Amino acid sequence: MKILLLDKNHPLITEQLLAKNFELEEDFTSTYDEVCDKIKNYDGIIIRSRIPLDQNFLENAKNLKFIARVGAGMENIDIPVAEKLGIQLINSPEGNRDSVAEHVVGMLLVLMNRLFIASQEVKNGIWKREENRGDELLGKTVGLIGYGNMGKATAKRLSGFGCKVIFHDILPNLSDEFATQVSLDELKQSAEVLSLHIPLTSETNYLIDETFISEMKNDFYFVNTARGKNVKTKSLVEALKSGKVKGACLDVLEYEKSSFEHLETENEDLKYLLESEKAMVTPHIAGWTHQSKEKLAQFIVDKIVASHC
């Protein structure tokens, strides 16, 4: 099989697939149109996020047997068209679930205990103790929306902090030793911390908006390591200003490019998030550890080999 690699990934992908007698071509620079012109020559394609695989692209891919995304989200692919054309879709959420879970906990601990703020103050000769009094995770009810690989890994970590973890998911009967499944209404009634672990779809686009936030019974901490457009930023900023959201941990932003390479918009809401002590912002790195890079790649290779060798 002839496979096109469109993005740089861990070298084990190339090494192991070549050892299995796949024919590989790397192309990290061609434009969308240039790749469209030649995609008919390949049986498989391995991607991250650089080029969208829309209907036009897929209809040009006359011989494509599979699309493998090194990562979890598949919003860069026109899934209904791919399925209609019989193209197998492969991803690797197992590879970065642990790094995402650790990032969630890390951001919450830093924000709730004012660790970064206090450290910066001390480095600048400022010694404040009462003003930097923290807020414990112990005993809090954490609500997760989405209970796939990322949600389950996060629940496992948070249960070790003595949290009560509940979750809402569109699939039934997912409760386990770490978390209990509840309705969305019950989650809104109980959660003191809210964390998103969902894909970006038409149903989850701007899921967290002014209405959703107003329906939360408690003032709450908010975490988003899923997709930026799951949240309407303006609504979140207003809730931070009012105190309804006590603090926000954001690894993803509404204003990211679809390739996640950088921000494409600057506005007053973003300026507030970047300047506020109530918000932590990281550059889409929750799933971006040294270990996850290798694990993401290995899961992709294993799935390709299992299906096409």
Side-chain angles (χ1 to χ4, degrees), residues 12-217:
L12 73 80
I13 292 179
T14 301
E15 294 165 4
Q16 294 186 21
L17 290 179
L18 285 175
K20 292 291 185 179
N21 297 317
F22 288 92
E23 183 180 346
L24 306 182
E25 179 183 325
E26 296 179 344
D27 184 347
F28 306 145
T29 58
S30 289
T31 66
Y32 168 90
D33 289 334
E34 289 168 339
V35 178
C36 269
D37 287 341
K38 66 176 183 178
I39 191 60
K40 63 181 178 294
N41 300 319
Y42 300 92
D43 302 294
I45 185 169
I46 300 176
I47 65 168
R48 287 198 67 89
S49 304
R50 187 170 69 85
I51 289 179
L53 276 54
D54 56 15
Q55 181 173 351
N56 174 65
F57 184 99
L58 296 173
E59 288 177 348
N60 278 286
K62 304 295 185 183
N63 297 301
L64 206 59
K65 309 293 191 302
F66 72 85
I67 299 165
R69 180 169 188 272
V70 185
M74 304 286 272
E75 71 271 11
N76 213 36
I77 303 165
D78 192 324
I79 293 175
V81 172
E83 291 176 341
K84 182 180 178 181
L85 294 172
I87 300 171
Q88 180 190 15
L89 298 178
I90 301 169
N91 65 342
S92 53
E94 307 92 341
N96 60 356
R97 61 190 171 193
D98 296 312
S99 60
V100 169
E102 290 189 11
H103 199 89
V104 170
V105 175
M107 290 186 88
L108 280 171
L109 291 174
V110 170
L111 181 78
M112 294 170 66
N113 291 283
R114 297 177 59 85
L115 299 180
F116 181 77
I117 295 166
S119 176
Q120 290 299 108
E121 286 177 350
V122 172
K123 289 180 179 182
N124 287 305
I126 302 167
W127 189 271
K128 294 181 179 179
R129 297 185 68 226
E130 183 59 35
E131 295 88 343
N132 285 312
R133 193 181 288 274
D135 192 8
E136 295 179 6
L137 271 171
L138 177 67
K140 286 187 170 52
T141 297
V142 180
L144 310 177
I145 300 183
Y147 206 62
N149 282 280
M150 313 303 176
K152 290 176 183 177
T154 301
K156 183 177 181 179
R157 270 71 174 183
L158 287 170
S159 66
F161 281 84
C163 298
K164 177 183 179 181
V165 186
I166 59 176
F167 69 90
H168 175 71
D169 195 282
I170 58 174
L171 298 177
N173 304 317
L174 297 179
S175 294
D176 58 23
E177 62 186 300
F178 303 114
T180 302
Q181 190 161 8
V182 298
S183 69
L184 189 57
D185 285 341
E186 185 175 342
L187 184 145
K188 291 176 181 177
Q189 285 294 306
S190 302
E192 299 164 280
V193 178
L194 177 65
S195 185
L196 301 188
H197 302 278
I198 49 178
L200 181 62
T201 66
S202 57
E203 288 77 24
T204 64
N205 189 68
Y206 289 155
L207 174 68
I208 307 302
D209 59 8
E210 183 179 2
T211 299
F212 189 106
I213 292 170
S214 70
E215 291 170 350
M216 293 286 288
K217 179 181 178 181

Side-chain angles (χ1 to χ4, degrees), residues 249-267:
C249 302
L250 306 173
D251 182 55
V252 291
L253 291 165
E254 178 184 352
Y255 313 117
E256 288 179 76
K257 283 180 63 68
S258 60
S259 63
F260 312 136
E261 291 172 344
H262 55 76
L263 298 175
E264 59 182 358
T265 303
E266 293 185 15
N267 56 41

